[in-house]
Amino acid sequence: MMNSKVRFAPSPTGPLHIGGARSALFNYLFAAHQNGQFVLRIEDTDLERSRPEFEDEIIESLRWLGIDWTEGMLQGGVNGPYRQTERLEIYQQYLKQLLNQGDAYYCFCTQEELEAERQDQLDSGSMQRYSGKCSTLNDQEVQERLAAGIKPTVRFRVPEHKIQVVNDLVRGRVSFESDNSGDFIIAKSDGIPVYNFAVVIDDVLMGITHVIRAEEHLSNTPRQLMLYDALNFIYPKFAHISLILGSDRQKMSKRHGATSLVQYREMGYLPEALFNFLALLGWSPEGEQEILTAEEIIASFTLERVAKSPAVFDMDKLNWVNQQYLKKKTTSELAKMLKPFLSSSEYASDIENMDDLRYGLLVESVRDHLVCLSDVTKYMDVFFREAVYEEEALQALAGDGVLTVLENFRDDLPYFSEPEEIKQFIKATVKKLKLKPKDVYMPLRSALSGQTHGPELPYLISIWGREESIRRINRTIVNIVK
RNA sequence: GGCCCCAUCGUCUAGCGGUUAGGACGCCGCCCUCUCAAGGCGGAAGCGGGGGUUCGAUUCCCCCUGGGGCUACCA
């Protein structure tokens, strides 16, 4: 198993999804674990839906997640090109071979005819598969149709009564009966090969030893195996990993909320957190530790520990994992990462006007609340908005000694105070007035912010500074306490 | 409909014939605490059902049920 080579072969028909990212990740982990090779190939044979922008986006997403490959897109390599639409001549050769061998034939059925055929089979409850109508056309009939300008598809002639066995590395032995599959199309009428065909050619020519992909491809594998047989190719090893489901146990799709990697990046999830979380979806390390570095995951990743059952994507757990990684960041690292999120918020100018010291304090005061970076904007109101008194705050301000507390604070508040100094000052005030801490803190908090909850009070005061804090106190005294 | 895969707390999972069925998220409670978080401690919560095999099944086999996938000139 020393020279293993895997691949990830996305179709650029949309952004990189959670599911695709997980497949890419498992391939990456498998390769990295044994120092194998990893090819990134683009399967863009669906001309209708493939778009170059998506190709770029997928590649960028992989990079962002921390997934590297050793060959293929951007890296180059001796087995290129790595974009399927640039490999058309290659597929053509094998198509010709299959045609010559009699393992494939031209099919002139129109889409309407096929649709009608399918509908009939559906109505009569019989097996849904191609009837084989064109499989018996003789040379002359074929030539006539070609001469008439009909563009044929190419179908693979499925052998009869053959058992195809997939020795899957995660699922074990899975067998299929060839008779359950009709002659399937391997090249469309425009000459472009279809997935099941192109994937076989590419995997063989690129020397792929292990095909690790999502379970949805398990049922396609026997068709691919028949192609391997017809072309006299040696099978790679297969490993089909289970699907990722939404909370309703359906395959993840756009209606499950954020499903693309870019969305998570935009929300402010850390790539290392997603890397860790995705690795845990369908795989588990031996110990009980769940927060693991990429290196640790690579070191212990094996297909033997990959789960067979599908996994529901749990946003709560992702949030927790992300929080764990956020906590590891220093305040200055966080401050830097948070900037773009604040700069595009309504508080952009407020943040811009803050000096580094105060901005650092602000970050420190809200960091424990963050689940993802974009959350930061939810906690900015209290710093920059004029106090709007909540019911509980008004109650806290209605107490007996409130005015004394406020005036004492206002008159004795020291200059240039850092949170710790302010904390000491409040402590001293508590002592001096012979009150319970709460009877000092709550009136102050309420008077300053209009709320009974929020960031630690010493931080709030320090961030506002002496002048602003006194202004707020006075405003409350005049308007509320009187 | 046919073929295939899957099945342990709500969720992610450990388990690979004998365990008080372990961990994590979430939830609940307590502690800490000016508040909200964070943190610490504790708790509730699971082997889908029925047959076998076995001295003994969560674990092995079969059936059922449930969920998912494939069945495209998509991948």
Side-chain angles (χ1 to χ4, degrees), chain A residues 289-328:
Chain A
Q289 194 182 329
E290 296 200 331
I291 299 299
L292 304 157
T293 63
E295 292 68 32
E296 290 171 320
I297 294 171
I298 288 167
S300 53
F301 186 87
T302 60
L303 289 176
E304 287 74 59
R305 295 194 65 83
V306 170
K308 291 201 274 248
S309 48
V312 172
F313 185 85
D314 183 4
M315 197 67 186
D316 284 332
K317 180 103 177 214
L318 202 216
N319 285 338
W320 176 78
V321 173
N322 200 55
Q323 218 167 17
Q324 297 305 303
Y325 280 89
L326 243 23
K327 245 185 298 194
K328 294 184 185 194

Side-chain angles (χ1 to χ4, degrees), chain A residues 350-392:
Chain A
D350 294 301
I351 296 293
E352 219 44 60
N353 293 332
M354 281 182 117
D355 57 63
D356 288 351
L357 184 69
R358 285 167 63 227
Y359 176 58
L361 290 174
L362 179 144
V363 170
E364 220 165 289
S365 71
V366 301
R367 59 172 300 162
D368 281 344
H369 291 259
L370 305 181
V371 161
C372 57
L373 298 174
S374 64
D375 274 354
V376 72
T377 58
K378 295 196 291 201
Y379 302 104
M380 292 299 103
D381 278 0
V382 67
F383 297 107
F384 306 117
R385 207 182 60 186
E386 190 66 271
V388 177
Y389 304 93
E390 290 177 347
E391 188 51 43
E392 294 79 10

Side-chain angles (χ1 to χ4, degrees), chain A residues 99 105-109 114 150-155 185-191:
Chain A
L99 248 9
Y105 60 87
Y106 288 117
C107 174
F108 298 90
C109 294
L114 294 171
I150 305 175
K151 295 285 184 198
T153 58
V154 178
R155 282 188 188 269
I185 291 175
I186 54 178
K188 306 176 218 177
S189 53
D190 58 5

